[in-house]
């Protein structure tokens, strides 16, 4: 991958652009994505980076960007009354939570959800014939375009994030903001695509889950219906949370905090503010109280987005040592009840003293 990328960056620009187009078209495969990442290491030429961004902008190009405002998630807020309340669990042990998180991530990394295609950058005459190639491409586009775009969006956020973090000192601020906007936008467009599908198929999804549960559990119809609806809501909720985290972890860096504030203001949406808060929590290890206070009035009556903010903050509390007064502030400002238990850390501290 390294040497293929080096060869492409050494080509005449017009020839290199053709290869970039092919790589971006097949970005959903691991090898093409890796070559693109190495290309961004080898060059900082603006035309090449602009060409990558231009191609990646075609992912869900006709889609809107998710905002997580009340209108955007109204179909999910309708079910919010059935969702259990979130709490700050003071029995959580930071070290244990970190270990479990690392184990979970290791399991994810071991699985490769994106299947590589067999071809890399073959010349056209390596195909059996051009008609076969055209038929193949047409079938793929008609049958799998949406699925491919899902994978493309995932890899696009990663690659744009790599460029931002690796070239933060050498790229001018306007170009960094351009790259960040593209990374945010492709993630937000994917989430809106997901919402559109699940909104349209809400009844069908709940009905199928209802059937699967009823086949395996001897529960009342009322309980099965409640569980099926909870499954539907939870799956959409977790997808939203994962998109926010994916963007934050891909583009985040401790030296670029003002840059993320600019991006958040540019989009001006609830989801962009949640991405900014996630980045601040993860890369500065501090509670961004001003940003939390700023977003709270607009989401306190929006159950879906409100809970996403609560979960983002609580996950940070469970994974990092946090001052008692900060926990108390979060519990009060975000209306989160505290599970009244002594933490394992406190118990260990008492044992050490004794």
């Amino acid at each position: 991958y390294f040497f293929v990328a080096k060869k492409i960056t050494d080509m005449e620009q017009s020839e290199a652009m053709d290869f970039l187009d092919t790589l971006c078209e097949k970005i959903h495969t691991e090898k093409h994505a890796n070559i693109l990442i190495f290309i961004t290491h080898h060059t900082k030429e603006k035309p090449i980076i602009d060409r990558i961004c231009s191609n990646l902008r075609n992912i869900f190009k006709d889609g809107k960007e998710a905002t997580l405002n009340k209108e955007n998630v109204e179909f999910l807020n309708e079910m919010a009354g059935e969702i259990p309340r979130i709490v700050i669990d003071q029995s959580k042990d930071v070290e244990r939570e970190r270990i479990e998180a690392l184990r979970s991530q290791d399991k994810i990394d071991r699985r490769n959800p994106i299947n590589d295609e067999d071809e890399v950058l073959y010349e056209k005459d390596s195909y059996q014939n051009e008609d076969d190639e055209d038929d193949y491409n047409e079938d793929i586009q008609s049958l799998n375009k949406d699925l491919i775009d899902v994978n493309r969006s995932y890899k696009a956020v990663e690659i744009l994030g790599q460029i931002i973090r690796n070239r933060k000192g050498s790229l001018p601020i306007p170009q960094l903001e351009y790259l960040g906007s593209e990374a945010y936008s492709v993630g937000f467009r994917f989430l809106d695509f997901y919402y559109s599908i699940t909104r349209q198929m809400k009844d069908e999804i709940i009905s199928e889950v209802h059937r699967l549960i009823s086949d395996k559990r001897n529960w009342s119809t009322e309980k099965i219906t409640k569980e099926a609806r909870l499954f539907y809501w939870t799956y959409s909720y977790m997808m939203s949370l994962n998109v926010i985290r994916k963007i934050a972890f891909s583009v985040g860096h401790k030296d670029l905090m003002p840059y993320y504030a600019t991006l958040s203001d540019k989009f001006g949406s609830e989801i962009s503010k949640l991405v900014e808060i996630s980045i601040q929590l993860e890369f500065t290890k501090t509670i961004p109280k001003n940003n939390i206070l700023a977003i709270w009035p607009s989401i306190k009556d929006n159950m879906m987005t409100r809970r996403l903010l609560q979960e983002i903050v609580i996950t940070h509390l469970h994974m990092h040592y946090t001052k008692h007064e900060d926990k108390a502030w979060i519990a009060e400002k975000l209306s989160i009840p505290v599970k009244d238990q002594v933490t394992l850390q406190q118990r260990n501290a008492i044992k050490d003293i004794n």
Side-chain angles (χ1 to χ4, degrees):
Y1 301 145
F2 178 91
F3 292 107
V4 171
K6 185 70 170 68
K7 184 174 180 60
I8 291 173
T9 56
D10 290 340
M11 291 177 177
E12 292 291 329
Q13 193 170 98
S14 59
E15 187 180 4
M17 293 301 181
D18 291 337
F19 278 99
L20 282 176
D21 292 341
T22 301
L23 289 167
C24 289
E25 181 184 352
K26 301 176 184 298
I27 194 177
H28 54 285
T29 68
E30 199 71 28
K31 52 197 161 196
H32 295 92
N34 286 336
I35 294 170
L36 267 178
I37 288 172
F38 280 115
I39 285 175
T40 66
H41 281 283
H42 288 306
T43 183
K44 58 180 179 181
E45 291 293 325
K46 186 175 184 297
I48 289 181
I49 293 176
D50 286 347
R51 188 61 166 253
I52 293 173
C53 288
S54 177
N55 275 285
L56 299 185
R57 201 179 302 123
N58 290 325
I59 301 171
F60 296 118
K61 65 179 180 179
D62 297 324
K64 298 178 180 179
E65 295 168 353
T67 63
L68 293 184
N69 63 19
K70 289 184 74 170
E71 182 181 357
N72 190 216
V73 293
E74 182 180 5
F75 73 109
L76 294 168
N77 282 336
E78 291 172 354
M79 309 168 70
E82 304 170 21
I83 311 306
R85 290 192 71 184
I86 197 165
V87 299
I88 298 176
D89 187 351
Q90 298 224 70
S91 67
K92 297 281 187 180
D93 176 62
V94 169
E95 293 302 327
R96 183 175 296 171
E97 290 299 306
R98 287 177 179 175
I99 292 170
E100 288 302 318
L102 289 172
R103 285 175 178 167
S104 297
Q105 187 60 49
D106 186 55
K107 288 179 181 178
I108 293 171
D109 292 342
R110 287 175 184 275
R111 294 192 224 108
N112 187 1
I114 301 172
N115 295 320
D116 280 355
E117 296 171 355
D118 291 331
E119 73 281 10
V120 187
L121 293 172
Y122 297 123
E123 298 295 330
K124 286 202 171 193
D125 60 8
S126 69
Y127 291 95
Q128 290 182 342
N129 58 66
E130 291 189 7
D131 289 338
D132 288 345
E133 179 192 353
D134 291 340
D135 290 343
Y136 172 77
N137 288 336
E138 184 178 349
D139 289 342
I140 289 294
Q141 289 173 3
S142 61
L143 296 175
N144 296 321
K145 183 179 184 303
D146 288 340
L147 179 59
I148 288 173
D149 270 355
V150 169
N151 287 337
R152 283 176 179 159
S153 65
Y154 180 90
K155 301 304 293 185
V157 171
E158 282 188 349
I159 288 171
L160 291 168
Q162 286 269 6
I163 300 173
I164 291 167
R165 289 184 288 113
N166 292 339
R167 293 304 173 92
K168 64 184 184 300
S170 58
L171 291 176
I173 293 298
Q175 194 167 7
L176 279 176
E177 291 177 357
Y178 173 58
L179 290 166
S181 294
E182 292 303 318
Y184 279 42
S185 183
V186 70
F188 297 166
R189 292 198 304 273
F190 158 70
L191 185 58
D192 191 77
F193 164 77
Y194 175 83
Y195 283 166
S196 68
I197 296 298
T198 53
R199 189 186 298 113
Q200 293 169 15
M201 299 185 65
K202 177 180 176 180
D203 292 339
E204 290 89 340
I205 294 171
I206 292 176
S207 177
E208 179 62 14
V209 175
H210 190 290
R211 183 189 67 79
L212 292 172
I213 295 175
S214 62
D215 287 345
K216 296 184 177 181
R217 294 285 188 272
N218 187 24
W219 292 346
S220 67
T221 301
E222 181 181 358
K223 183 175 181 180
I224 292 175
T225 300
K226 184 177 180 180
E227 290 297 317
R229 289 169 62 85
L230 177 61
F231 174 89
Y232 173 85
W233 189 93
T234 302
Y235 211 84
S236 297
Y237 172 82
M238 291 306 301
M239 184 62 73
S240 307
L241 186 62
N242 287 336
V243 168
I244 292 168
R245 286 175 172 167
K246 181 63 182 176
I247 296 172
F249 280 74
S250 294
V251 308
H253 193 282
K254 62 183 178 63
D255 295 336
L256 294 173
M257 290 304 147
Y259 160 79
Y260 305 120
T262 301
L263 285 175
S264 179
D265 291 340
K266 177 182 178 180
F267 283 91
S269 61
E270 286 80 352
I271 190 171
S272 66
K273 294 171 185 175
L274 291 184
V275 170
E276 182 187 4
I277 290 171
S278 297
I279 292 172
Q280 290 172 318
L281 286 168
E282 179 61 28
F283 293 95
T284 70
K285 311 302 182 192
T286 58
I287 309 297
K289 295 181 180 179
N290 289 338
N291 285 345
I292 290 173
L293 291 174
I295 191 177
W296 184 250
S298 66
I299 67 170
K300 65 180 181 180
D301 297 323
N302 178 348
M303 178 60 184
M304 176 74 170
T305 308
R306 164 182 169 161
R307 189 182 177 96
L308 285 168
L309 173 61
Q310 291 172 328
E311 176 116 10
I312 289 166
V313 175
I314 287 176
T315 299
H316 175 81
L317 298 187
H318 291 166
M319 295 287 291
H320 301 89
Y321 294 102
T322 307
K323 295 178 181 178
H324 175 74
E325 53 266 33
D326 284 340
K327 289 185 179 181
W329 184 90
I330 290 167
E332 177 190 355
K333 300 300 182 183
L334 298 187
S335 302
I336 308 174
V338 178
K339 189 175 181 181
D340 189 17
Q341 294 183 22
V342 179
T343 65
L344 180 59
Q345 297 165 219
Q346 291 172 326
R347 291 201 299 270
N348 288 342
I350 292 171
K351 288 179 182 177
D352 291 341
I353 293 172
N354 295 335

